[in-house]
Amino acid sequence: CFSMMRCLDYGHKVVALANLIPLDDAVDELDSYMYQTVGHQIVVCYAKCMGLPLFRRRISGSTRDHALKYSVTAGDEVEDMFALLSEVKRRIPSIGAVSSGAIASDYQRLRVESVCSRLGLVSLAYMWRQDQTLLLEEMIRRGIVAITVKVAAMGLKPSVHLGKELAELKSHLLQMNESFGINVCGEGGEYETLTLDCPLFRNARIVLDDFEVILHSADSIASVGILHPLAFHVEPKPGSSSSIGDGAIAEENSSCLYEVNGAIAHTDGETKQTLNPTPTSDAYPDTNVCISKTGKTLFSIGCWIEEPSSASQGMKADLVKVLSRIENQLKDGGLSWANVLYVHLYISSMKEFGLANEVYVSFITEKKCHLGVPSRSTIELPLVQAGLGNAYVEVLVSNDLVKRVLHVQSISCWAPSCIGPYSQ
């Protein structure tokens, strides 16, 4: 809920909710209990409280790709997310981004980014890498009323802390952070919450009338307990134009609820990159390579068009020639794009930035760079006037494959705009 509030802060409009329902035999007891009848009604209630359509799909897959970075894998639960968001995009073609609430999880962020990349959407993760203490304080200050529905950490007791509002637990969570190092926002699985009210709920708020506490593990150090909701009702907010009753919330065929079923279909957007394979020309007589070595294991390669007045055929052709020449130079030395640490991409006009990126990603791909794509700067220079064509590229290369990079494809407060086919 708070990530959606952050989206509004940055000028976006939230137009739909998307929800994945766990398998019937879900291993996670929280999921299992929360998606019994009452829990299901609460999820539908979220959409009604916000006046938004809800798209929902039951997970058919499981976690098959356990690697940090996700590769498209048949039968993986990420493919259910792909199917769910594909349907949202089909019904609401104007959507351009997906918001998620990851704070510290690269595992979750990378999977959302993978699906967004395949669907031509932008991933928004405004809470990622933010200070959790400040986040917790801001959530409470801005009116999010959330209760704990699962606790699983040292210092959190099911009999004492389940069902408590975050505002009540704030001081205790900060103390447990000091004592045991727990994440105050529960990002490490220490606790889970259910939001009952927030500024996004313009029609009504949720009131939990009855629940039971289920002790999953009576561990003497860190007991695990789950709050299972049994009954709830909604209270219309003052000035709300909508009348919401409990019967309406439970209605399956509500106009705001879309069930997304069926097999997972792939879209044309997934094959875009395969339509433009890497050019394979071996030599370009009209290009020149300048190599300057700065050490035994670290050196740079610069490449440009030597005779632009007669040879240049525009941005795309020039950049293809330059990148092809560098690629061949790397191969001659027994190296590849995986050895490149940094790229300086100089182009004659930022108006052709998108075109330059299309050519760039046909050469420098995540598949070729198993340690991560290189970092990059893109700068506009008067190359044509200087007699250097429309594209000039310099790469910093290491003989040793020891680089560590972070490739973030989500717009966040940490990376507000610098996302693309390059590492930060």
Side-chain angles (χ1 to χ4, degrees):
C1 287
F2 188 65
S3 67
M4 284 190 283
M5 290 173 64
R6 277 281 176 91
C7 286
L8 296 178
D9 292 341
Y10 287 98
H12 299 286
K13 180 181 179 182
V14 181
V15 295
L17 304 178
N19 172 228
L20 284 169
I21 305 174
L23 289 162
D24 289 327
D25 58 348
V27 176
D28 190 313
E29 289 78 14
L30 171 66
D31 290 340
S32 178
Y33 285 120
M34 284 301 294
Y35 278 95
Q36 290 179 13
T37 305
V38 174
H40 153 75
Q41 292 176 10
I42 290 178
V43 174
V44 177
C45 182
Y46 268 58
K48 289 186 174 290
C49 286
M50 287 186 253
L52 295 172
L54 170 66
F55 293 81
R56 186 174 59 176
R57 177 182 174 89
R58 185 170 293 279
I59 296 173
S60 61
S62 58
T63 305
R64 298 199 175 186
D65 183 349
H66 295 272
L68 179 61
K69 186 166 184 57
Y70 178 74
S71 298
V72 178
T73 305
D76 193 283
E77 61 186 0
V78 175
E79 298 307 303
D80 288 293
M81 178 165 61
F82 173 79
L84 176 65
L85 295 179
S86 294
E87 180 63 12
V88 179
K89 186 177 180 182
R90 187 184 73 82
R91 287 184 177 267
I92 311 177
S94 62
I95 67 165
V98 175
S99 170
S100 60
I103 300 174
S105 172
D106 281 309
Y107 185 90
Q108 175 182 326
R109 174 183 62 81
L110 288 165
R111 275 151 177 73
V112 175
E113 288 178 358
S114 172
V115 171
C116 285
S117 175
R118 292 160 64 187
L119 291 172
L121 300 171
V122 174
S123 170
L124 303 176
Y126 285 118
M127 295 194 295
W128 190 66
R129 291 218 166 188
Q130 297 296 287
D131 182 279
Q132 293 193 31
T133 299
L134 296 179
L135 278 178
L136 180 65
E137 291 175 348
E138 189 178 1
M139 290 177 195
I140 295 170
R141 177 178 59 81
R142 294 187 60 179
I144 286 189
V145 179
I147 62 170
T148 52
V149 290
K150 180 180 180 180
V151 294
M154 188 181 296
L156 294 178
K157 299 179 180 179
S159 59
V160 177
H161 300 116
L162 274 176
K164 299 288 186 183
E165 290 186 17
L166 285 183
E168 297 178 73
L169 291 177
K170 175 186 166 184
S171 59
H172 182 70
L173 291 171
L174 294 175
Q175 183 183 342
M176 292 303 98
N177 173 259
E178 293 248 347
S179 301
F180 307 120
I182 74 168
N183 295 288
V184 295
C185 285
E187 183 74 355
E190 292 90 344
Y191 68 89
E192 306 284 352
T193 60
L194 173 68
T195 299
L196 300 178
D197 192 17
C198 73
L200 296 173
F201 292 4
R202 63 175 187 263
N203 294 325
R205 68 187 299 270
I206 302 168
V207 178
L208 198 59
D209 297 314
D210 192 17
F211 61 85
E212 64 178 333
V213 172
I214 298 171
L215 191 62
H216 172 63
S217 170
D219 189 276
S220 58
I221 298 176
S223 299
V224 179
I226 298 160
L227 182 147
H228 178 202
L230 297 175
F232 77 99
H233 72 277
V234 292
E235 290 182 355
K237 288 193 170 182
S240 170
S241 58
S242 304
S243 106
I244 300 181
D246 292 338
I249 291 168
E251 216 175 280
E252 287 293 328
N253 296 321
S254 168
S255 60
C256 78
L257 180 61
Y258 299 93
E259 297 284 359
V260 181
N261 302 309
I264 297 169
H266 297 284
T267 66
D268 294 338
E270 292 186 272
T271 59
K272 280 182 181 176
Q273 288 192 16
T274 62
L275 300 178
N276 297 299
T278 302
T280 56
S281 178
D282 292 327
Y284 289 100
D286 55 357
T287 58
N288 183 37
V289 174
C290 174
I291 300 176
S292 65
K293 292 199 173 183
T294 56
K296 292 183 179 180
T297 61
L298 194 68
F299 60 94
S300 62
I301 301 174
C303 188
W304 63 92
I305 305 296
E306 187 176 30
E307 298 177 1
S309 58
S310 60
S312 179
Q313 298 174 350
M315 166 68 72
K316 184 174 183 179
D318 285 1
L319 189 53
V320 166
K321 291 175 183 179
V322 168
L323 290 175
S324 293
R325 193 69 177 85
I326 291 178
E327 187 169 72
N328 289 333
Q329 187 70 29
L330 290 170
K331 288 179 180 177
D332 290 346
L335 306 173
S336 70
W337 291 111
N339 295 87
V340 175
L341 305 178
Y342 203 96
V343 177
H344 285 301
L345 174 62
Y346 303 105
I347 57 179
S348 58
S349 173
M350 276 296 181
K351 292 179 181 179
E352 296 187 288
F353 180 80
L355 179 61
N357 261 350
E358 285 183 23
V359 176
Y360 187 89
V361 298
S362 69
F363 284 88
I364 303 174
T365 65
E366 293 183 351
K367 186 175 182 180
K368 293 179 182 178
C369 304
H370 63 282
L371 294 177
V373 292
S375 299
R376 190 188 84 184
S377 66
T378 306
I379 303 171
E380 177 185 311
L381 289 178
L383 297 174
V384 176
Q385 295 92 315
L388 299 172
N390 289 278
Y392 185 126
V393 176
E394 293 176 339
V395 295
L396 180 64
V397 186
S398 172
N399 283 321
D400 300 324
L401 289 172
V402 293
K403 70 179 180 182
R404 293 181 62 195
V405 298
L406 186 62
H407 187 202
V408 179
Q409 292 298 279
S410 295
I411 292 178
S412 64
C413 298
W414 183 86
S417 61
C418 298
I419 61 171
Y422 47 83
S423 295
Q424 283 74 13

